[in-house]
């Protein structure tokens, strides 16, 4: 926009958001953002504002939107309690590299530091959980701050940024002109490839007998799913995914061998331990992936590709770090890669899968009169045919969803990985649905986590958001109960829940619902949920004390997977 | 093994950078021994000198995390031996010995200090030296019951090779160097 126009700061903010292509804004009003809301009133047709029921709902919805679309999620909250209510989502987005621009109101700059009404030091509080943050105290700073915020949020390793706007800056007049930010001298979002390093990596992969690719979320963030698959096909390399990488590779790809980590598959974890070369792409070797680091992948040389240089060598020794965008590196690696027969190695994967199936089949015997959570997710995968976006909460529901969902499209598994935030699922699902309205979006929630943010049913009702909701009601904080059963001698300390009548709650929000408790009801209910044109809540009463297996106990080696209690 | 490491960082002169940098230490519960922020020879760019006791492995990770901060242009870390480090200290001492024999200048010279202020109650001396030299004089004055007050500047450092070459390159190219 070349011509300057005279507007107030609040309007400049909205014009800047429009310049950045923002179509949905999740927010909650309050005293220090009223001027911005006054302008939103005029811009209703250009920016779709979604009023959530809690600021935590707004930020998680923005995360769900960002994760489903690949665009920047935007949320808006007032100062003080509005800003502090965003914290959990911002921290979650920081750990899960989710691009967010979070806008908070702030007391007028003349009152900063005086403990004014609803003043909180948002900048200090969000410093360790943002990629960048900035306080605006004059209207003229707004376009530049917004431009910088979007540039930083979406480039390099994406992450959340906060813009804290003092009330006086919202009402002052300024000359508006917008110039997108395209570079900063103190920031390299797209590192240059080092040809020698790539050549060395190709050599290492070609020399390997038992290579294994670990696909992380970085592959999705780089939009490099296809390049990943091409590389793996070129070199005949088996692929695994981290929790955050799930859905980057279709489950039915013949070279896909399963999920990694604490509740990953036997094949993926055993192959890690037997591999002689690990190619890790856009992931960060978190403790949930490695188990005991000192016993991790004892025979493997490790090549680690990441766009964030601070991740290289952070958690374990890496033989060849590659500081690069995943797409750039994968494309370069493909050149010179040799196709090798690896039938023995793939046989090993198949054997491990058989062992896993066999060992888990015993644990399902006694469940006949109850529905098992594992069975719910398997049936859901069948009903949705791999086309749905699955958004999970945290706990057993999440791990079962990760283990048994099937995907044939990327960006289809949305979960709180790094922070493990209960309450994430429902608002993230509604945000995802608004981002990809043509796709089926199913929230898979625990009875505990649902109750942390269930007020967002109000948002779903008011905005007619057609998200499907499954509550896996096991009347327990199941994942904690599982740890208490396995590691604390069955002492169930404060993990049992007395739940409300979820169908009455759904009714209160005018959301059609159904409650089932017998295995033979499952398929029909899932089909009815799928056919529902709007939102739908399906409560599934499940086996109360089902455990998620396989499991690598915290701190144990990946070799020591357990299959039963 | 823990030893002293010094991080030298050049940053945009922006509010908040200091907090982001110190938080990289705080997160890992590393106590900062000394920290100095000053304007670098290039206008608009600040220079941070931070010393802390930690391991070689940890300081490398801390340096990488500091380098990731948006407003940070360059980060290097050193152990003490790689840098020329001096401190400036001010010693406020009793004027008694001087009144007794009137040998202010001689004593001051003997200690390697410079006389800053002289009154009937006290004398202020300034000394520039290594941390050990500064410490040694402090102990001597204390042992003789002369020391009333003492302050020191923290490390003022200069590298034997230039830490600025890379920075100039960054500024000229307009982008941070990849490391
Ligand atoms: C905000 C938050 N508080 C506490 C926890 C610890 N936690 C992890 S899983 C879990 C139990 C979740 O119970 P529920 O939502 O019913 O899911 P289930 O495991 O039963 O499927 C708890 C309490 C957490 N992850 N997040
Ligand atoms: Mg539960």
């Amino acid at each position: 926009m070349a011509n300057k126009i005279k507007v107030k700061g609040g309007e400049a903010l909205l014009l800047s958001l429009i310049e950045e292509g923002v179509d949905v804004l999740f927010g909650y009003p309050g005293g220090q953002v009223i001027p911005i809301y006054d302008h939103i009133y005029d811009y209703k047709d250009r920016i779709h504002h979604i009023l959530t029921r809690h600021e935590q709902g707004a930020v998680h919805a923005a995360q769900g939107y960002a994760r489903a679309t690949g665009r920047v999620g935007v949320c808006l909250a007032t100062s003080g309690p509005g800003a502090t209510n965003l914290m959990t989502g911002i921290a979650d987005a920081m750990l899960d590299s989710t691009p967010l621009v979070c806008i908070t109101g702030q007391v007028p700059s003349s009152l900063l530091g005086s403990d004014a009404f609803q003043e909180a030091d948002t900048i200090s509080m969000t410093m360790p959980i943002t990629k960048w943050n900035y306080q605006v105290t004059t209207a003229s700073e707004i376009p530049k701050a917004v431009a910088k915020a979007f540039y930083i949020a979406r480039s390099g390793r994406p992450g959340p940024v906060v813009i804290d706007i003092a009330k006086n800056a919202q009402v002052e007049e300024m000359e508006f002109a917008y110039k997108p930010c395209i570079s900063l001298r103190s920031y390299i979002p797209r590192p240059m490839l080092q040809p020698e390093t790539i050549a060395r990596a190709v050599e290492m992969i070609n020399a390997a007998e038992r290579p294994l690719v670990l696909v992380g979320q970085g592959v999705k963030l780089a939009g490099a799913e296809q390049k990943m698959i091409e590389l793996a096909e070129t070199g005949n390399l088996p692929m695994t995914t981290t929790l955050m990488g799930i859905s980057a590779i279709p489950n039915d790809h013949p070279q896909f061998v399963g999920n990694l980590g604490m509740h990953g598959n036997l094949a993926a974890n055993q192959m890690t331990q037997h591999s002689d070369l690990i190619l890790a792409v856009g992931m960060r070797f978190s403790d949930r992936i490695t188990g005991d680091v000192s016993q991790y992948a004892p025979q493997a040389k490790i090549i680690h590709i990441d766009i964030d240089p601070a991740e290289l060598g952070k958690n374990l020794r890496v033989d060849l770090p590659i500081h690069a965008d995943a797409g750039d590196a994968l494309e370069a690696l493909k050149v010179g890669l040799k196709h090798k027969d690896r039938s023995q190695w793939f046989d090993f994967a198949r054997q491990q899968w058989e062992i896993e199936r066999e060992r888990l089949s015993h644990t399902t015997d006694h469940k006949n009169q109850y529905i098992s959570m594992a069975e719910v997710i398997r049936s859901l995968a069948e009903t949705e045919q791999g086309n749905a976006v699955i958004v999970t909460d945290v706990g057993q529901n999440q791990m079962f969803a990760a283990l048994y969902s099937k995907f044939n499209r990327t960006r289809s598994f949305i979960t709180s990985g790094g922070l493990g935030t209960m309450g994430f699922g429902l608002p993230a699902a509604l945000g995802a649905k608004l981002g990809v309205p043509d796709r089926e979006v199913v929230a898979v929630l625990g009875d505990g986590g649902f109750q942390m943010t269930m007020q967002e049913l109000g948002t779903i009702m008011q905005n007619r958001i057609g998200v499907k909701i499954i509550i896996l009601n096991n009347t327990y904080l199941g994942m904690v109960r599982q740890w208490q059963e396995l590691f604390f001698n069955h002492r169930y300390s404060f993990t049992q829940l007395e739940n409300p009548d979820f169908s009455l709650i759904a009714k209160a929000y005018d959301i059609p619902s159904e409650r089932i408790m017998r295995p033979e009801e499952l398929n029909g209910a899932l089909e009815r949920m799928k056919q529902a044109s709007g939102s739908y809540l399906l409560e599934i009463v499940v086996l109360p004390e089902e455990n998620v297996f396989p499991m690598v106990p915290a701190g144990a080696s990946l070799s020591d997977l357990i299959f039963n209690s | 093994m823990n030893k002293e490491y010094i991080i030298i960082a050049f940053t945009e002169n922006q509010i908040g950078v200091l907090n982001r940098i110190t938080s990289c230490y705080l997160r890992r519960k590393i106590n900062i021994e000394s920290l100095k922020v000053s304007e670098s020879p290039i206008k608009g760019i600040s220079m941070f000198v931070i010393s802390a006791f930690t391991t070689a492995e940890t300081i490398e990770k801390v340096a990488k995390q500091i380098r990731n901060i948006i407003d940070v242009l360059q980060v290097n870390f050193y152990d003490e031996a790689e840098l020329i480090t001096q401190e400036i200290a001010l010693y406020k001492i009793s004027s008694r010995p001087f009144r007794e024999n009137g040998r202010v200048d001689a004593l001051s010279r003997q200690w390697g200090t410079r006389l800053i202020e002289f009154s009937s109650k006290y004398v202020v001396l300034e000394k520039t030296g290594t941390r050990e030299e500064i410490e040694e004089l402090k102990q001597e004055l204390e042992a003789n019951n002369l020391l009333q007050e003492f302050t020191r500047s923290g490390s003022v450092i200069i590298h034997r090779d230039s830490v600025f070459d890379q920075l100039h390159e960054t500024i000229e190219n307009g982008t941070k160097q990849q490391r």
Side-chain angles (χ1 to χ4, degrees), chain B residues 87-94 110-113 125-153:
Chain B
E87 279 200 62
I88 300 170
L90 297 177
Y91 305 81
K92 187 168 159 192
I93 64 176
S94 155
Q110 179 189 324
W111 286 330
T113 59
L125 299 172
E126 177 222 280
K127 183 179 175 72
T128 301
T130 63
R131 184 176 303 166
E132 292 71 35
E133 288 164 347
I134 301 271
E135 191 60 29
E136 213 174 293
L137 178 57
K138 177 173 169 251
Q139 279 168 12
E140 184 182 336
L141 293 172
E142 270 170 348
N144 292 319
N145 247 329
L146 291 173
L147 195 66
Q148 293 178 347
E149 277 176 49
F150 170 74
T151 68
R152 59 204 295 171
S153 65

Side-chain angles (χ1 to χ4, degrees), chain A residues 34 56 62 85 130 146 173 260 271 320 327 348 398 472 485 498 531 543 559:
Chain A
I34 287 193
Q56 185 183 355
N85 275 347
T130 49
V146 172
E173 292 219 319
L260 293 162
M271 286 172 87
L320 188 68
F348 178 78
Q398 174 185 33
L472 297 174
E485 177 186 335
E498 188 176 321
Q531 296 310 327
L543 183 68
S559 307

Side-chain angles (χ1 to χ4, degrees), chain A residues 458-484:
Chain A
T459 311
I460 291 169
M461 170 177 69
Q462 185 169 5
N463 297 284
R464 314 271 184 281
I465 302 170
V467 44
K468 310 294 168 66
I469 303 157
I470 294 178
I471 299 175
L472 297 174
N473 184 359
N474 55 6
T475 64
Y476 277 109
L477 299 173
M479 185 55 91
V480 179
R481 185 209 55 74
Q482 173 168 346
W483 283 48
Q484 289 172 338

Side-chain angles (χ1 to χ4, degrees), chain A residues 127-128 130-134 148 152 184-188 191-192 194 308-310 312-314 323, chain B residues 12 14 16 19-20 23 28 45 61 64-65 68-73 170-171 174-179:
Chain A
M127 194 156 277
T130 49
K131 189 172 168 188
W132 181 74
N133 62 7
Y134 187 76
K148 204 168 160 184
I152 292 169
L184 294 168
R185 67 175 181 185
S186 59
Y187 175 53
I188 336 172
M192 254 163 23
Q194 312 292 323
D308 178 356
L312 303 170
K314 185 180 79 175
H323 176 206
Chain B
E12 301 286 359
Q14 281 283 343
N19 274 332
R20 283 196 183 264
S23 121
R28 293 175 183 268
I45 293 180
K61 293 176 187 176
K64 279 181 170 178
Q65 285 170 334
N68 257 4
I69 298 167
I70 299 285
D71 287 314
V72 171
L73 286 146
T170 301
I171 306 294
T175 60
K176 180 143 101 179
Q177 303 292 301
Q178 201 171 315
R179 280 195 46 145

Side-chain angles (χ1 to χ4, degrees), chain A residues 147-179:
Chain A
K148 204 168 160 184
F150 275 84
Y151 173 62
I152 292 169
R154 71 173 149 235
S155 59
R157 176 177 178 174
V161 305
V162 165
I163 311 178
D164 191 41
I165 309 181
K167 193 173 186 177
N168 58 292
Q170 301 169 25
V171 295
E172 284 164 13
E173 292 219 319
M174 54 92 69
E175 299 264 331
F176 181 81
Y178 199 77
K179 200 165 138 255

Side-chain angles (χ1 to χ4, degrees), chain B:
Chain B
M1 196 197 56
N2 271 19
K3 67 181 210 179
E4 184 171 6
Y5 287 96
I6 295 129
I7 280 191
I8 301 179
F10 294 97
T11 77
E12 301 286 359
N13 184 4
Q14 281 283 343
I15 201 160
V17 186
L18 171 65
N19 274 332
R20 283 196 183 264
I21 290 179
T22 54
S23 121
C24 293
Y25 287 84
L26 180 65
R27 285 183 73 182
R28 293 175 183 268
K29 208 173 175 207
I30 303 169
N31 194 16
I32 292 175
E33 295 297 324
S34 90
L35 181 153
K36 205 170 63 63
V37 191
S38 51
E39 183 165 57
S40 79
I42 301 167
K43 203 173 153 41
I45 293 180
S46 307
M47 176 172 170
F48 285 69
V49 179
I50 311 158
S51 94
F53 284 86
T54 181
T55 63
E57 211 180 299
T58 306
I59 199 68
E60 190 179 342
K61 293 176 187 176
V62 171
K64 279 181 170 178
Q65 285 170 334
I66 293 175
R67 196 171 292 131
N68 257 4
I69 298 167
I70 299 285
D71 287 314
V72 171
L73 286 146
Q74 181 183 321
V75 183
N76 301 90
F77 66 91
Y78 305 96
D79 66 23
E80 236 193 335
E82 295 173 84
L83 299 170
I84 299 168
T85 312
Q86 293 278 292
E87 279 200 62
I88 300 170
L90 297 177
Y91 305 81
K92 187 168 159 192
I93 64 176
S94 155
S95 59
R96 177 173 40 86
F98 306 107
R99 268 185 282 120
E100 279 165 11
N101 57 21
R103 289 176 49 236
V104 185
D105 288 354
L107 260 181
S108 177
R109 223 174 301 125
Q110 179 189 324
W111 286 330
T113 59
R114 201 158 69 92
L115 184 64
I116 302 293
E117 198 169 303
F118 188 103
S119 81
S120 57
K121 292 210 180 76
Y122 62 85
V123 174
V124 174
L125 299 172
E126 177 222 280
K127 183 179 175 72
T128 301
T130 63
R131 184 176 303 166
E132 292 71 35
E133 288 164 347
I134 301 271
E135 191 60 29
E136 213 174 293
L137 178 57
K138 177 173 169 251
Q139 279 168 12
E140 184 182 336
L141 293 172
E142 270 170 348
N144 292 319
N145 247 329
L146 291 173
L147 195 66
Q148 293 178 347
E149 277 176 49
F150 170 74
T151 68
R152 59 204 295 171
S153 65
S155 305
V156 179
I157 62 100
I158 196 155
H159 195 264
R160 294 202 162 80
D161 309 316
S162 174
V163 288
F164 292 108
D165 290 354
Q166 201 189 333
L167 183 64
H168 281 294
E169 217 172 296
T170 301
I171 306 294
E172 270 157 36
N173 299 345
T175 60
K176 180 143 101 179
Q177 303 292 301
Q178 201 171 315
R179 280 195 46 145

Side-chain angles (χ1 to χ4, degrees), chain A residues 269-444:
Chain A
N269 285 326
Q270 283 296 335
M271 286 172 87
T272 303
Q273 296 305 77
H274 287 82
S275 167
D276 62 351
L277 182 102
I278 283 180
L279 174 64
V281 191
M283 51 84 76
R284 58 190 180 87
F285 290 106
S286 96
D287 51 281
R288 285 304 195 250
I289 290 293
T290 61
D292 179 4
V293 197
S294 67
Q295 299 182 64
Y296 180 78
Q299 310 172 31
K301 290 230 180 320
I302 298 178
I303 304 174
H304 186 188
I305 303 172
D306 207 283
I307 198 160
D308 178 356
E311 289 300 343
L312 303 170
K314 185 180 79 175
N315 295 338
L316 48 72
R317 160 201 61 79
V318 175
D319 298 281
L320 188 68
I322 302 182
H323 176 206
D325 170 80
D328 293 349
L330 291 171
E331 207 171 319
L333 284 174
K334 206 178 92 174
V335 183
L337 207 64
K338 291 204 192 84
H339 193 278
K340 271 195 167 178
D341 173 44
R342 305 192 193 277
S343 38
Q344 273 190 3
W345 188 219
F346 280 104
D347 281 346
F348 178 78
R350 262 184 295 279
Q351 284 158 18
Q352 296 300 311
W353 269 104
E354 269 159 40
I355 298 173
E356 176 174 327
R357 283 198 199 95
E358 205 257 322
R359 298 203 56 179
L360 289 180
S361 66
H362 297 306
T363 60
T364 47
D365 289 350
H366 60 284
K367 292 176 187 164
N368 294 336
Q369 76 271 39
Y370 278 106
I371 302 177
S372 109
M373 289 188 268
E375 206 43 52
V376 172
I377 306 296
R378 277 200 209 95
S379 305
L380 177 67
E382 212 135 282
T383 309
E384 302 291 350
Q385 292 292 311
N387 296 319
V389 177
I390 305 293
V391 185
T392 80
D393 209 79
V394 167
Q396 294 183 314
N397 58 86
Q398 174 185 33
M399 293 305 148
F400 280 120
L403 275 168
Y404 298 113
S405 294
K406 297 271 179 281
F407 298 102
N408 49 34
R409 281 177 72 173
T410 188
R411 291 190 177 274
S412 297
F413 185 69
I414 299 177
T415 197
S416 167
L419 200 64
T421 305
M422 279 175 74
F424 173 85
L426 186 66
L430 78 84
K433 181 68 187 177
L434 286 164
V436 289
D438 297 335
R439 297 192 64 188
E440 178 83 338
V441 175
V442 183
V444 175

